Amino acid sequence: MRHKHGYRKLGRTSSHRKALLKNMAIALIMNEKIETTVAKAKTLRSYIEKLITKAKAGDFNAHREVYAYLQDKAATKKLVEELAPRYNERNGGYTRIVRTRIRRGDAAPMAFIELV
């Protein structure tokens, strides 16, 4: 049982989970809206919101911190220079999760996660 456990494992090893979140974060930054399962969307929400909060500083160190997580120059540049300044007056709540459908193959609940 996972009573009060800190995070979702998503059925993956720690390195696979880290890679999954990194790739989903890059996709969300570049497209500003992606469709995934509800569990992955909820996990990605905390990951991306922490990145946006770091990027809001907008200085060189913000670039370094965000790049350390994403390892993608284009996504880092877009996040720090275009997306993060949108949220300067906002204290969190940068993403929205909208449940969409039940996936046909495995009946997994699907959702859109998008930047507000």
Side-chain angles (χ1 to χ4, degrees), residues 5 37 39 49 71 92-93 104:
H5 188 267
T37 63
E49 293 207 2
Q71 296 293 306
R104 187 162 182 235

Side-chain angles (χ1 to χ4, degrees), residues 29-76:
I29 290 165
M30 299 311 280
N31 301 314
E32 299 189 24
K33 182 177 184 178
I34 59 173
E35 186 179 25
T36 184
T37 63
V38 171
K40 287 180 192 171
K42 287 180 177 180
T43 304
L44 179 62
R45 176 174 49 191
S46 67
Y47 186 86
I48 199 77
E49 293 207 2
K50 288 173 186 169
L51 280 181
I52 292 171
T53 301
K54 288 177 182 173
K56 278 168 60 174
D59 58 354
F60 180 68
N61 284 333
H63 275 271
R64 291 182 112 183
E65 286 184 54
V66 172
Y67 184 76
Y69 281 90
L70 295 180
Q71 296 293 306
D72 185 272
K73 288 183 181 180
T76 300

Side-chain angles (χ1 to χ4, degrees), residues 25 27-34 48-49 52 78-79 83-84 86-87 93-97 113-116:
L28 182 61
I29 290 165
M30 299 311 280
N31 301 314
E32 299 189 24
K33 182 177 184 178
I34 59 173
I48 199 77
E49 293 207 2
I52 292 171
K78 183 173 180 181
L79 178 61
L83 300 178
R86 285 190 208 169
Y87 305 113
Y94 312 120
T95 57
R96 174 185 300 129
I97 295 176
I113 180 167
E114 58 190 350
L115 296 172
V116 175

